[in-house]
Amino acid sequence: MLTPVLSDNWDQIRSWQLASYQRSGGYDALRTALRMLPADVVTAVKDSGLRGRGGAGFPTGMKWSFIPQDNPKPKYLVVNADESEPGTCKDIPLMLASPHTLVEGVIISAYAIRANTAFIYVRGEVLHVIRRLQQAVVEAREAGFLGTNILGTGYDLDVIVHAGAGAYICGEETALLDSLEGRRGQPRLRPPFPAVAGLYGCPTVINNVESIASVPSIINNGADWFGSMGTEKSKGPTLYSLSGHVTRPGQYEAPMGITLRQLLELAGGIRDGHELKFWTPGGSSTPLLTAEHLDVPLDYEGVAGAGSLLGTKALQIFDETTCPVRATLRWTEFYKHESCGKCTPCREGTWWLVQILERLEAGQGDESDLEKLLDLSDNITGRSFCALADGATAPITSSIQHFKDDYLAHFTNGGCPFDPMLSTVFATAGATA
Amino acid sequence: MADTTVPYSTGDSKIGETTIGEMRELAARYPEGRSALLPMLHLVQSVEGRITPEGIEACAAVLGLTGAEVSAVATFYTMYKRRPVGDYHVGVCTNTLCAIMGGDLIFERLKEHLDVGNDETTEDGKITLEHLECNAACDYAPVMMVNWEFFDDMTPESATQLVDDLQAGNEVKSPRGATICTWKEAERVLAGFPDGRADEGPTGGKATLAGLRLARERNWTAPAGAQARTTDDSRKED
């Protein structure tokens, strides 16, 4: 049922240190990869069917193959470790427990695309993760896995751990590049795509932490092994993150295509005495699902078929004590705060959405306001450079679709009919604010 | 309630030759120096306790930019602070999931307990309180951060105890990190100058290991062909 691969060494003592990682077979894949031609490493990752774990699900090996090797400019690998999508909490524990899994993946991946400089762009708000990444890079360099003439192969690679400074938008790959160039993190218009003109205008691959960390296991065990887990078009094991009103929240590494019903069984179910009301399959930018979607296979195709997106597999679980209007307003406030301001529909639209939702939560509104929200959402979605605006409207349109009665109850009640205390983890402990 | 106004320059900047030298060192780590601007601004905060005009001018001088260009960057990112930050930056996640799980009530309790509003500092200069967006620890909700170290599964009671300990100068440890240093010291690590404390703390908390522990109990593994695991029970973390 569960298939720990990335998480397999997380219960080893000092799993973040090089010595511990090597006791678990760490850096064996690097030795194997460096005996292969770079193009064969790309082929192996292509054949595995690995798709980007940062939310979009683009085939990783194909992304690498877009790098024009006849371009004389330097090539760069950039790891997107700016994990900030609400609900998403898989890359941070991975890097805290086993930063070397990522560093080994970085070296193999950079070798595959013939990059001599790689960056790990990690959000700034995770001090201890940054400490462990910094130490892992130093350890890897001292062991001869980084620097010049790696393991005597003539291949050179430098890895730079780069801390961000608080901006959700920098998880968007072109905004990340601008930020890494020392600018405001605002998305770029595409094309050109980063594979052609990325960091400093050079060919650049940007991959999520989990994608890159999956590479050593593919090199060690083969593309067929990776593809033996998961579904036809969504292959491999992956980290599902359960949070919210579940008995045992946490990281569950399972083959692609497991269902929420199965995951909830593993996590001890919805907290005692309560029932599932709604959930996000992959962070707040993915439309809400309900109990009728418990058996949807959690792969890219399955979740898309249910009208949502697999996203980052961040399963935020809410029980019947949760007000969907309050949840939606809070997410909308988040998108308003994080809109970079570049595109008008997003910059202005997210403010309008918040203003209307604040009024509705206070019970001041009627059914025509819901039409207005949907109309605004329709004018915001797909009209900006990046997907932030699309994400902003996802909770609004899906919550109105599934929970219109809860919105209407705010109007008849003259305010929120839910008691916020009941949804807290300490509700049963008798604590008060 | 803390004074929310701040002079443009207090005239007592601590940016000197040492910091300028470190800024040049950061710029030299990158293929193009300007890439070091975010780390350099973290360094400014580690020296000044905030982003100062002198710090902005120093970054500009080192990188050959104008002060306006550096200011445009500094004002874009929420971790850069125009007003002085206390010894301990205390964050409470109030994004949807944490808010609903209790973050809103924790934040309200702390504002009252510390007698400050959002993004304000206590009279004694010890604590700056701020509500945060998602910090990627949702499986430990409600979550707080102190100087960007995790504090998991918080309650109003544990939150007030935490800030009381910080104000009293008691040693405080993150359940998934190190002993809490000052905000300025943390900013120095973010700038790219390690403090040698990576080995403190565990591999992960209970939620991080929830799936793995279940897999161990039930003998679930990835299919054959997987690299032989070298798990040795005697070396396992508790």
Side-chain angles (χ1 to χ4, degrees):
Chain A
M1 190 71 92
L2 293 174
T3 49
V5 175
L6 294 173
S7 59
D8 194 42
N9 66 327
W10 292 1
D11 60 355
Q12 302 298 301
I13 283 187
R14 299 200 161 204
S15 60
W16 63 87
Q17 292 182 340
L18 179 64
S20 173
Y21 184 63
Q22 287 190 288
R23 277 199 298 271
S24 307
Y27 289 100
D28 289 352
L30 176 64
R31 293 174 198 279
T32 305
L34 291 180
R35 285 194 296 266
M36 297 163 68
L37 292 171
D40 292 341
V41 177
V42 175
T43 302
V45 172
K46 249 186 193 171
D47 290 349
S48 74
L50 173 66
R51 295 172 64 175
R53 302 295 198 231
F58 193 83
T60 303
M62 194 185 294
K63 204 176 205 181
W64 294 1
S65 69
F66 291 157
I67 292 290
Q69 288 299 340
D70 54 352
N71 186 322
K73 289 181 177 175
K75 283 84 187 166
Y76 294 107
L77 174 71
V78 179
V79 177
N80 185 344
D82 192 50
E83 183 167 65
S84 309
E85 168 77 11
T88 309
C89 52
K90 63 188 178 68
D91 299 335
I92 293 300
L94 188 160
M95 292 186 286
L96 195 60
S98 190
H100 280 287
T101 310
L102 177 62
V103 172
E104 185 181 14
V106 165
I107 305 168
I108 297 169
S109 307
Y111 173 73
I113 64 162
R114 298 180 172 89
N116 298 114
T117 308
F119 300 87
I120 300 173
Y121 185 110
V122 57
R123 65 182 302 182
E125 303 99 322
V126 287
L127 177 61
H128 210 56
V129 173
I130 290 165
R131 284 192 181 111
R132 288 197 175 158
L133 284 171
Q134 288 170 337
Q135 175 167 293
V137 168
V138 169
E139 283 184 315
R141 189 174 293 130
E142 285 170 355
F145 300 139
L146 281 174
T148 52
N149 193 23
I150 294 169
L151 297 175
T153 59
Y155 176 59
D156 304 337
L157 179 68
D158 187 22
V159 173
I160 298 166
V161 176
H162 181 94
Y168 166 69
I169 189 60
C170 292
E172 196 282 332
E173 62 177 17
T174 61
L176 188 155
L177 292 178
D178 263 36
S179 180
L180 186 51
E181 290 181 1
R183 301 168 196 279
R184 295 164 77 92
Q186 294 189 314
R188 301 173 179 177
L189 193 61
R190 290 162 290 188
F193 288 90
V196 176
L199 188 67
Y200 315 130
C202 298
T204 303
V205 162
I206 306 155
N207 281 135
N208 168 259
V209 169
E210 190 188 342
S211 310
I212 294 291
S214 298
V215 171
S217 69
I218 292 169
I219 298 299
N220 270 330
N221 303 300
D224 291 344
W225 165 84
F226 192 79
S228 74
M229 288 169 272
T231 56
E232 191 192 340
K233 290 180 179 170
S234 302
K235 296 192 185 302
T238 195
L239 291 164
Y240 291 94
S241 311
L242 271 80
S243 61
H245 294 134
V246 293
T247 306
R248 284 186 298 278
Q251 307 302 319
Y252 293 83
E253 190 172 6
M256 278 275 184
I258 195 168
T259 66
L260 181 60
R261 189 185 300 281
Q262 291 170 313
L263 283 167
L264 280 176
E265 276 169 21
L266 300 176
I270 300 291
R271 63 176 180 162
D272 204 23
H274 295 275
E275 59 186 40
L276 175 63
K277 180 162 184 172
F278 61 92
W279 53 292
T280 67
S284 60
S285 302
T286 61
L288 303 176
L289 297 176
T290 66
E292 68 181 275
H293 305 107
L294 274 167
D295 296 309
V296 169
L298 295 173
D299 62 5
Y300 295 101
E301 294 70 32
V303 182
S308 188
L309 297 158
L310 182 64
T312 54
K313 305 151 284 127
L315 305 152
Q316 305 178 88
I317 313 292
F318 300 93
D319 70 21
E320 84 291 346
T321 63
T322 311
C323 173
V325 180
R326 178 183 172 209
T328 301
L329 168 60
R330 194 57 59 88
W331 278 319
T332 311
E333 287 175 329
F334 163 77
Y335 290 107
K336 171 192 148 190
H337 181 255
E338 300 298 336
S339 174
C340 79
K342 185 164 187 164
C343 309
T344 308
C346 175
R347 183 187 64 241
E348 304 296 323
T350 50
W351 282 69
W352 293 359
L353 293 172
V354 166
Q355 286 180 1
I356 295 173
L357 279 164
E358 275 176 343
R359 194 160 50 76
L360 299 194
E361 200 205 13
Q364 299 155 4
D366 58 42
E367 211 170 332
S368 69
D369 287 305
L370 301 183
E371 290 306 314
K372 188 178 286 175
L373 277 177
L374 292 174
D375 185 46
L376 273 172
S377 297
D378 192 41
N379 277 294
I380 291 168
T381 301
R383 284 171 162 78
S384 302
F385 274 30
C386 83
L388 187 145
D390 304 357
T393 62
I396 294 174
T397 52
S398 59
S399 65
I400 293 175
Q401 180 193 341
H402 297 301
F403 302 109
K404 191 171 179 181
D405 287 348
D406 281 318
Y407 279 91
L408 299 180
H410 283 68
F411 311 149
T412 52
N413 190 56
C416 184
F418 291 84
D419 177 356
M421 191 51 161
L422 296 179
S423 66
T424 67
V425 282
F426 37 84
T428 50
T432 52
Chain B
M1 192 81 79
D3 184 6
T4 54
T5 61
V6 64
Y8 180 64
S9 172
T10 53
D12 60 353
S13 170
K14 294 179 182 64
I15 304 275
E17 281 311 308
T18 307
T19 306
I20 303 273
E22 287 177 340
M23 285 180 175
R24 292 193 199 287
E25 184 187 331
L26 288 173
R29 292 180 188 178
Y30 292 84
E32 294 190 11
R34 182 167 177 168
S35 282
L37 182 52
L38 266 61
M40 286 162 68
L41 289 165
H42 282 303
L43 185 67
V44 167
Q45 298 205 124
S46 77
V47 174
E48 304 273 72
R50 67 174 179 117
I51 298 292
T52 55
E54 291 84 356
I56 284 176
E57 291 304 328
C59 292
V62 167
L63 296 177
L65 301 170
T66 66
E69 286 172 313
V70 175
S71 291
V73 174
T75 52
F76 184 83
Y77 297 93
T78 50
M79 289 179 79
Y80 298 135
K81 303 299 184 190
R82 204 167 57 84
R83 291 194 290 271
V85 172
D87 291 338
Y88 305 103
H89 177 272
V90 173
V92 182
C93 179
T94 58
N95 200 301
T96 297
L97 189 118
C98 275
I100 282 168
M101 302 289 281
D104 276 355
L105 296 173
I106 290 169
F107 188 58
E108 288 308 312
R109 173 76 76 90
L110 287 183
K111 280 197 287 192
E112 192 181 304
H113 188 74
L114 296 169
D115 193 24
V116 293
N118 181 44
D119 210 12
E120 291 179 357
T121 302
T122 52
E123 294 279 2
D124 60 5
K126 294 278 189 198
I127 291 178
T128 300
L129 182 68
E130 190 180 14
H131 78 82
L132 305 177
E133 299 299 356
C134 186
N135 223 99
C138 317
D139 44 350
Y140 296 96
V143 171
M144 286 177 59
M145 307 295 293
V146 177
N147 295 342
W148 308 117
E149 295 257 31
F150 290 109
F151 285 82
D152 303 328
D153 302 312
M154 299 301 286
T155 64
E157 287 67 35
S158 63
T160 49
Q161 182 65 52
L162 174 61
V163 296
D164 285 351
D165 283 339
L166 291 170
Q167 277 190 303
N170 299 336
E171 185 182 87
V172 174
K173 285 184 176 162
S174 159
R176 284 189 293 142
T179 302
I180 299 304
C181 58
T182 66
W183 182 76
K184 285 184 180 177
E185 288 165 345
E187 280 291 318
R188 186 171 171 79
V189 177
L190 301 186
F193 297 101
D195 61 1
R197 301 171 76 177
D199 289 334
E200 292 186 41
T203 61
K206 193 174 157 192
T208 300
L209 298 171
L212 184 60
R213 289 208 167 129
L214 190 66
R216 297 279 192 254
E217 267 171 41
R218 302 193 185 175
N219 284 317
W220 288 335
T221 59
Q227 185 183 40
R229 287 192 295 112
T230 52
T231 306
D232 173 348
D233 283 344
S234 67
R235 289 207 305 264
K236 275 188 189 173
E237 290 263 329
D238 287 323

